[in-house]
Amino acid sequence: MKNIPRSTRALGLLALLLAGSCTDDFEEINTNPSTYGQGNFNPNYLLTTAQLAYTGSTDFAYDTWRANLIYSSTLTQGFATVVSYWAGDKYLLNEAYTAAYWGTTTAGAYAEQVKPITDMVELTRGKDQYKNLHQMGRLTRALIMQRLTDLYGDVPYSEAGRGYYTGVITPKYDKQEAIYADLLKEVEEATNALDPAADKPSGDAFYRGDVEKWRRLGNTLLLRLAMRLTKVDPDRAKTYVAKVQGKTMQSNADNAFLLHDVAGARATQNRNSQILLGDGGQENYYVKWSKTFIDYLKSTNDPRLGKVAVTQLYLTPSSKTQNGAAVSDPAAQKGMPNGKDLSGRPATDISNDPSFTMFPAYSSPSPGLIKRDGPTFVLTYAESELLLADAAQRWGVGGSAAQHYTAGVTAAMTYLSQYDPTLAISESAAAAYLAANPYRPADGLRQINSQYWVLTNTMLDFYESWSNWRRTGFPQLTPVVYPNNATNGQIPRRFPYPTSETTTNPDNFRAASAAVPGGDNLTGRVWWDK
């Protein structure tokens, strides 16, 4: 299984501390032989550190809580809530929350992900004993940087995390167009350079150093990067789709995920689960699957409905104990409408909505999805097949759209057993669903990308759900209407830059914020989202 080895986990936590303060006590580190330094530190631990941090901040999951759940999950109407500080549900701007993923000097993606993986790439450069570790580091950095640039647009990239090596502590913001060009280059080169005859990295929490699985992950990441360009550079997208034919993930056995562990307390538990189980507030009781999502599953008699959703899970706001009699019957599932609150205002208070009876009657994520020691999915075979279906439908590249769609939907159902055996859906059930809901080329892009939305929602990867919605416009979502929202009733398209950049990196920040199409706000656009 792809869990975190105990020795690696412990040293990975040490690496988290070292990565955040690697320039402190410089003289001691370089003179005391008992202190870790470049000469005696095993860079495998930095891979574990970056992979674990990619699933959420070690500082009580703040990245995940704010960027993935509070904003991304509600913007695409995967989740809905009446919790007042969940600003994304109402298109309100909380600058601290939209800045959380970027982070500060001690937390967030730049400190906890970019810094350690950049260190690892530099420490392994040109060293034969770390040949594959170096390439896996390049691929991991690409995963990290794609998410960052997708959320914010132009971001520090080429100089990011390299201050120790270059002396540059106010990195420039690279244009997203240039970032994507380099990500495509990096991923292609790193994937091709992986060598089954070379080292088997011990710090890999995804695949335990399996080079062949990393090759398929690399080609699948290359596909995802390329398909992000469908609005702005379709010719380049088609070129890369053609390059990865037959080289992407081949089954759910290739899925990249990190299996969490409760032994490390906050640092190693599943980040989404910490929040959805109520560790931070009352999200366990008040955060529900949205009406849009549940209604979509019901409209096609989707077998996932009875697996990913339950009612009556928590019976009181103060309860932290799940009810053993929770109801998984598909007929009982009911999604909560987005844009509602507990204000008492007739137009917005949830108690005035026709759907409301009591909060336990709304559908919560199934216990199997939110185990503290459950997996965080990074990239999956189902995503790969649905992206290939999209490319085939658009341009006739890479085989049959219908065949890729069938494989993608089947995998998107059957992979759920990797969360928990109780969520298993058989291939025959998936086949029956596809027979009842056949692929229709005239409506192909809507079908493909609506299924991608369902898939990434069940993966709890709402970052990706939001990005693909911005790329394709599917599913077609009806914006919420909420008083004094920050977007004039439009679904947000990007996160504004952190205001902290005005003091820590002012010149580069001013130039980047002035260049955002539509302005540095929730309705501005990243480059690939024309």
Side-chain angles (χ1 to χ4, degrees):
M1 296 300 291
K2 308 178 186 69
N3 61 329
I4 309 165
R6 290 187 180 274
S7 60
T8 301
R9 182 177 67 238
L11 286 166
L13 294 177
L14 172 62
L16 280 169
L17 300 176
L18 292 172
S21 58
C22 69
T23 56
D24 293 344
D25 302 317
F26 183 82
E27 184 176 353
E28 180 185 2
I29 288 173
N30 283 273
T31 58
N32 184 349
S34 67
T35 305
Y36 280 114
Q38 291 188 33
N40 64 355
F41 184 73
N42 185 342
N44 274 281
Y45 304 136
L46 291 172
L47 179 60
T48 314
T49 296
Q51 289 176 331
L52 181 58
Y54 184 71
T55 71
S57 173
T58 57
D59 186 12
F60 190 53
Y62 281 120
D63 300 358
T64 297
W65 194 357
R66 294 169 174 178
N68 190 44
L69 297 175
I70 286 177
Y71 269 97
S72 299
S73 78
T74 57
L75 298 182
T76 52
Q77 299 177 20
F79 284 159
T81 187
V82 294
V83 175
S84 60
Y85 53 80
W86 277 53
D89 188 71
K90 283 83 176 169
Y91 311 159
L92 303 175
L93 175 60
N94 183 317
E95 293 180 350
Y97 290 3
T98 55
Y101 197 84
W102 185 296
T104 66
T105 57
T106 58
Y110 276 107
E112 296 180 320
Q113 300 176 44
V114 177
K115 183 64 172 71
I117 202 61
T118 301
D119 281 339
M120 199 210 81
V121 171
E122 294 300 325
L123 287 169
T124 56
R125 191 180 301 280
K127 297 180 180 178
D128 288 343
Q129 71 269 36
Y130 296 131
K131 181 178 180 181
N132 284 328
L133 181 62
H134 179 71
Q135 308 309 334
M136 292 175 190
R138 294 171 75 186
L139 292 173
T140 302
R141 192 175 194 272
L143 275 167
I144 291 165
M145 293 308 307
Q146 183 185 24
R147 182 182 287 170
L148 265 165
T149 190
D150 285 351
L151 290 175
Y152 295 97
D154 300 349
V155 297
Y157 171 76
S158 59
E159 297 176 346
R162 293 194 168 100
Y164 176 82
Y165 309 97
T166 66
V168 176
I169 60 173
T170 54
K172 68 180 180 180
Y173 288 54
D174 295 271
K175 293 291 186 183
Q176 189 179 59
E177 182 175 5
I179 293 171
Y180 260 81
D182 195 67
L183 287 172
L184 288 164
K185 175 194 75 68
E186 280 288 291
V187 172
E188 184 175 23
E189 287 181 0
T191 302
N192 291 339
L194 288 166
D195 183 359
D199 57 302
K200 184 178 180 180
S202 61
D204 172 25
F206 294 168
Y207 293 129
R208 296 293 186 91
D210 189 319
V211 172
E212 290 303 323
K213 288 186 183 294
W214 270 95
R215 279 181 170 174
R216 292 191 282 274
L217 171 63
N219 282 304
T220 299
L221 176 58
L222 197 62
L223 171 66
R224 187 173 76 180
L225 287 162
M227 290 303 292
R228 214 60 114 226
L229 309 184
T230 52
K231 290 182 180 180
V232 290
D233 198 346
D235 289 338
R236 177 176 289 191
K238 284 187 282 187
T239 297
Y240 278 94
V241 171
K243 286 183 178 184
V244 301
Q245 292 305 307
K247 301 176 183 178
T248 55
M249 294 179 177
Q250 299 299 301
S251 74
N252 282 332
D254 290 334
N255 289 347
F257 62 83
L258 188 149
L259 189 62
H260 291 272
D261 190 313
V262 298
R266 286 182 177 182
T268 59
Q269 290 181 25
N270 185 292
R271 305 303 201 269
N272 290 306
S273 300
Q274 285 179 290
I275 305 308
L276 297 173
L277 290 170
D279 284 8
Q282 292 181 312
E283 275 85 355
N284 56 329
Y285 187 74
Y286 288 117
V287 174
K288 306 292 184 178
W289 288 116
S290 78
K291 174 177 169 56
T292 306
F293 180 67
I294 295 297
D295 285 357
Y296 183 86
L297 296 181
K298 280 193 165 185
S299 70
T300 57
N301 197 27
D302 194 309
R304 285 171 286 194
L305 181 57
K307 301 296 184 179
V308 303
V310 295
T311 60
Q312 310 296 327
L313 183 59
Y314 295 98
L315 301 182
T316 67
S318 60
S319 174
K320 299 293 184 182
T321 303
Q322 295 175 352
N323 177 21
V327 179
S328 61
D329 180 2
Q333 304 311 312
K334 179 173 65 173
M336 178 187 285
N338 291 90
K340 300 298 180 182
D341 59 25
L342 298 173
S343 67
R345 292 188 299 257
T348 60
D349 193 289
I350 187 67
S351 64
N352 295 317
D353 190 85
S355 69
F356 181 78
T357 54
M358 61 181 69
F359 284 104
Y362 287 122
S363 296
S364 298
S366 166
L369 287 179
I370 54 174
K371 298 186 299 184
R372 294 182 189 274
D373 59 354
T376 292
F377 286 91
V378 174
L379 199 55
T380 63
Y381 168 59
E383 289 174 271
S384 177
E385 287 300 303
L386 291 171
L387 289 170
L388 289 169
D390 185 308
Q393 177 62 40
R394 286 177 192 272
W395 307 307
V397 176
S400 163
Q403 289 178 355
H404 286 303
Y405 178 80
T406 296
V409 173
T410 301
M413 293 183 178
T414 56
Y415 96 100
L416 289 171
S417 62
Q418 292 178 333
Y419 273 114
D420 190 271
T422 62
L423 304 187
I425 294 175
S426 67
E427 290 200 7
S428 60
Y433 172 85
L434 287 162
N437 301 275
Y439 183 71
R440 301 179 300 278
D443 194 29
L445 288 179
R446 184 196 65 81
Q447 286 184 283
I448 292 164
N449 290 292
S450 295
Q451 287 292 333
Y452 197 91
W453 171 73
V454 173
L455 166 65
T456 50
N457 285 351
T458 66
M459 289 169 59
L460 306 182
D461 186 358
F462 300 106
Y463 303 109
E464 183 62 18
S465 183
W466 186 33
S467 288
N468 200 65
W469 174 81
R470 288 179 285 159
R471 178 182 74 88
T472 67
F474 296 114
Q476 295 169 315
L477 302 174
T478 301
V480 304
V481 178
Y482 194 80
N484 302 314
N485 69 80
T487 65
N488 197 28
Q490 301 176 56
I491 299 175
R493 312 292 299 199
R494 67 178 284 276
F495 287 168
Y497 293 126
T499 56
S500 61
E501 287 286 281
T502 62
T503 55
T504 59
N505 195 3
D507 293 339
N508 290 317
F509 162 77
R510 280 194 293 268
S513 59
V516 177
D520 182 22
N521 51 52
L522 288 171
T523 57
R525 301 238 178 176
V526 302
W527 164 73
W528 54 253
D529 180 23
K530 274 190 174 180

